[in-house]
Amino acid sequence: MKKSLILFLALFSIVHVYGQKFGYVDTDYVLGKMPEYKEAQGEINKLSLGWQEEIKEMSRKIESMYNELQAEEVLLTAEMKKDRMAEISRKEGELKEYQKKIFGFEGLFFLKKKELIKPVQDKVFEAIERVCKDQRLAIMFDKAGDMVMIYTDPRHDYTDYVLEELGLGDPNDVIK
């Protein structure tokens, strides 16, 4: 945290000395205005819910296997009980592997999200780049990112310019 603050202050000092222009944009707000982002989010949510339901169903089956084992335990031989426990353990392993395959690092959820969201984000960043060039900005901060801004002067907010560049601006708003 200290390093990023020092870097920010050094960068701010350089910008201040040389009189460079800077601004910020709220990419979360911009993405929220984009129909293709909403569609991608909807598809991701739909897939996620389907995968979660599959995982719940697998968990219910395992729970059912445990309940059956407990109900029949007195009637089972040690060998039969051992076999059932091994089957339950195998099913639990399959469940964990499936969860990892879907929601783990580089899992299907991550890959699908990357596939659907990245093109939309690229479109936003290209619009930001054009706005920076048009407005002759040296630096553009993302208000939605990790950099915390405790004060922002609205005259440095270029979110509306980016929306306009993407064709998503409010026709009633006039960019000054």
Side-chain angles (χ1 to χ4, degrees):
M1 180 67 178
K2 281 185 176 182
K3 285 183 181 179
S4 63
L5 181 61
I6 291 169
L7 179 63
F8 175 73
L9 290 174
L11 188 59
F12 186 77
S13 297
I14 291 168
V15 168
H16 183 70
V17 168
Y18 293 105
Q20 306 255 338
K21 284 178 63 178
F22 65 96
Y24 67 91
V25 65
D26 187 343
T27 56
D28 284 345
Y29 179 75
V30 171
L31 288 169
K33 292 278 198 177
M34 299 180 73
E36 57 263 50
Y37 181 76
K38 290 176 184 176
E39 286 176 26
Q41 281 296 115
E43 189 172 334
I44 289 166
N45 290 340
K46 184 178 168 185
L47 286 169
S48 176
L49 289 173
W51 285 323
Q52 287 174 4
E53 194 54 45
E54 287 179 36
I55 289 169
K56 283 180 187 176
E57 182 59 33
M58 291 171 79
S59 294
R60 282 192 285 268
K61 286 181 181 176
I62 292 169
E63 185 67 30
S64 175
M65 291 171 76
Y66 265 125
N67 291 338
E68 286 176 24
L69 175 64
Q70 287 178 341
E72 299 171 0
E73 190 170 12
V74 293
L75 304 173
L76 300 175
T77 65
E79 186 65 28
M80 292 169 76
K81 184 178 175 182
K82 181 182 170 189
D83 288 346
R84 291 244 189 125
M85 286 302 293
E87 179 65 16
I88 290 170
S89 292
R90 188 180 67 74
K91 290 285 188 186
E92 287 175 330
E94 288 174 4
L95 173 61
K96 286 179 184 174
E97 193 59 37
Y98 185 71
Q99 285 175 315
K100 183 179 172 184
K101 176 184 169 189
I102 301 298
F103 294 109
F105 181 69
E106 296 287 326
L108 291 175
F109 178 77
F110 173 81
L111 295 174
K112 193 64 174 178
K113 193 171 183 178
K114 184 177 172 183
E115 172 192 327
L116 294 172
I117 300 294
K118 188 171 180 343
V120 180
Q121 288 174 329
D122 288 347
K123 189 175 177 181
V124 170
F125 291 125
E126 288 167 8
I128 289 170
E129 186 177 338
R130 288 190 302 270
V131 167
C132 287
K133 288 177 181 175
D134 291 347
Q135 299 295 320
R136 293 187 173 97
L137 298 173
I139 299 169
M140 177 75 79
F141 295 104
D142 183 0
K143 186 176 178 180
D146 290 338
M147 181 173 275
V148 177
M149 293 188 287
I150 53 178
Y151 173 77
T152 55
D153 186 340
R155 68 185 171 158
H156 297 296
D157 184 351
Y158 286 84
T159 303
D160 288 335
Y161 286 97
V162 173
L163 286 171
E164 188 68 28
E165 185 68 34
L166 290 166
L168 299 169
D170 186 346
N172 298 322
D173 282 349
V174 178
I175 298 177
K176 298 169 186 159

